[in-house]
Amino acid sequence: MNAPATAPTALLVMEKERREDVYPPEVLAGIGRLVTWQAPPRTREELAAAPDVLRDVDVLLTGWGAPVLDAALLERAPRLRAVFVAAGSVRHLTTPAFWARGIPIVSAAAANAVPVAEFTLAQVLLGLKQAHRIARDVASDRRFPRDPEVPGAYRARVGLWGLGHIGRLVAGHLARFDLEVVATDPAASPETARQAGVRLADLDELFATCQVVSLHAPQLPATEGAIGARLLDSLRPGATLINTARGALIDEPAAVRVLRARPDLTAVLDVTHPEPPAPDSPLFTLPNVVLTPHIAGALGTERHRLGQLVLDELRRFTLAEPLRHALDPARAASLA
């Protein structure tokens, strides 16, 4: 089935390596029934080499490897009416010139949040069992501990820093367990906290009283390096810190010092700053650091969910229905 004669003209621009993961054949076929393709897919570099292809484009589809939506690109795309991004953050590609045009931009952050929240849930449950710490002790002592003391997933306290989309998803997962969940988020209202099933608390209480603390705050000037030695050293014995947000939230040198002095603690770091760490970083060798290479977000077929969100939003756009995942400048700044 071909697109109708009045269909918008579209162009797909993103890196080639992950294109089929994000836009699998069935999703591309669905998009093709809604739009007229202006040209075959391009990479950002190919677009830069021949930008005139944008002249008649109404809809720009993209993902990882998106072009920067600056004044030069916008001048080449006078008909551009919407941008659909099959990825989470749009901070790196939006500019004041773009926002000034008033063009709607859709982010698939909600779809990318799903596997991040699932990964976090798994690590929270492992942290409540102190599975990583006990595994270290077993390997070191070559014996099984007898009846180890762990909080377990019954009436323990879990802390979330950030109640954005991912934080709320994690809170929703944790609501299925008999746990107390507290959260820190200066932008969250009491009603938001109530709907998420959490109690609001300050960051000091979060670190001092929770057996597991999970970071879901955006990277902003006010949050960079906010997790330093004082907060980390206030963690309860055997506590677990999880970071799937941004590595720069943690003062890494301070974290290394505390983790060396507190072998009872565990840090599960899916993100670092820089990323990856320098080859000589102690994060590679500290026994109480679980280091993973940014795998919490969508991988493999999980990425199909991002393209499906774009397809669903594109369908709404062609039917002149309200977009569910369009961003405004203020919200875009929080999607770090």
Side-chain angles (χ1 to χ4, degrees):
M1 178 179 173
N2 295 324
T6 57
T9 301
L11 181 68
L12 172 58
V13 181
M14 68 172 292
E15 65 179 49
K16 188 177 298 183
E17 291 76 12
R18 289 187 276 190
R19 188 186 295 155
E20 191 166 341
D21 278 351
V22 174
Y23 294 100
E26 64 273 18
V27 169
L28 278 181
I31 292 173
R33 289 190 285 270
L34 299 173
V35 304
T36 299
W37 292 111
Q38 172 68 9
R42 300 282 198 272
T43 65
R44 177 171 53 199
E45 293 74 20
E46 290 168 341
L47 178 65
D52 287 345
V53 71
L54 290 167
R55 183 180 298 112
D56 296 320
V57 168
D58 300 306
V59 173
L60 179 64
L61 304 170
T62 186
W64 284 286
V68 176
L69 303 170
D70 56 15
L73 181 145
L74 295 169
E75 186 176 351
R76 299 274 191 175
R79 285 176 42 176
L80 188 63
R81 294 192 285 134
V83 178
F84 297 83
V85 185
S89 176
V90 301
R91 292 178 66 193
H92 62 291
L93 61 102
T94 52
T95 64
F98 172 79
W99 294 116
R101 279 274 298 268
I103 299 169
I105 183 168
V106 165
S107 162
N112 194 52
V114 173
V116 178
E118 293 169 346
F119 179 92
T120 301
L121 172 63
Q123 295 300 332
V124 168
L125 295 176
L126 288 172
L128 290 172
K129 285 286 191 180
Q130 296 189 11
H132 294 304
R133 178 186 65 79
I134 292 172
R136 292 194 301 270
D137 292 346
V138 167
S140 175
D141 300 342
R142 294 180 180 272
R143 64 179 178 84
F144 283 6
R146 183 177 179 181
D147 195 21
E149 292 186 10
V150 300
Y154 180 69
R155 298 189 179 177
R157 182 177 289 180
V158 176
L160 307 177
W161 184 27
L163 278 179
H165 196 89
I166 295 173
R168 294 195 303 275
L169 278 180
V170 173
H173 288 322
L174 294 175
R176 307 200 309 266
F177 301 88
D178 197 346
L179 296 168
E180 180 187 2
V181 182
V182 296
T184 298
D185 190 328
S189 66
E191 178 60 18
T192 297
R194 187 193 66 76
Q195 291 179 357
V198 305
R199 176 175 65 82
L200 292 175
D202 61 31
L203 210 52
D204 285 355
E205 179 182 345
L206 211 69
F207 274 77
T209 67
C210 293
Q211 283 95 355
V212 177
V213 175
S214 188
L215 309 185
H216 303 287
Q219 181 181 334
L220 301 169
T223 62
E224 290 180 4
I227 309 304
R230 182 184 64 82
L231 286 174
L232 292 167
D233 202 37
S234 72
L235 285 166
R236 299 180 60 168
T240 297
L241 174 71
I242 303 165
N243 190 8
T244 58
R246 286 292 184 265
L249 301 179
I250 298 175
D251 179 343
E252 187 177 300
V256 167
R257 291 194 299 271
V258 172
L259 291 166
R260 278 178 173 154
R262 295 275 310 272
D264 61 295
L265 300 179
T266 299
V268 179
L269 305 179
D270 190 53
V271 289
T272 59
H273 184 70
E275 190 173 305
D280 60 350
S281 171
L283 297 179
F284 287 116
T285 54
L286 275 169
N288 52 345
V289 172
V290 178
L291 195 61
T292 54
H294 211 138
I295 62 172
L299 295 176
T301 56
E302 291 174 332
R303 293 175 179 155
H304 293 8
R305 189 184 280 122
L306 281 67
Q308 185 63 50
L309 183 148
V310 165
L311 171 57
D312 293 342
E313 286 285 80
L314 181 61
R315 185 177 292 111
R316 294 185 190 99
F317 177 79
T318 59
L319 295 173
E321 295 178 355
L323 298 173
R324 296 178 182 173
H325 300 280
L327 304 180
D328 59 36
R331 186 180 172 209
S334 72
L335 292 173

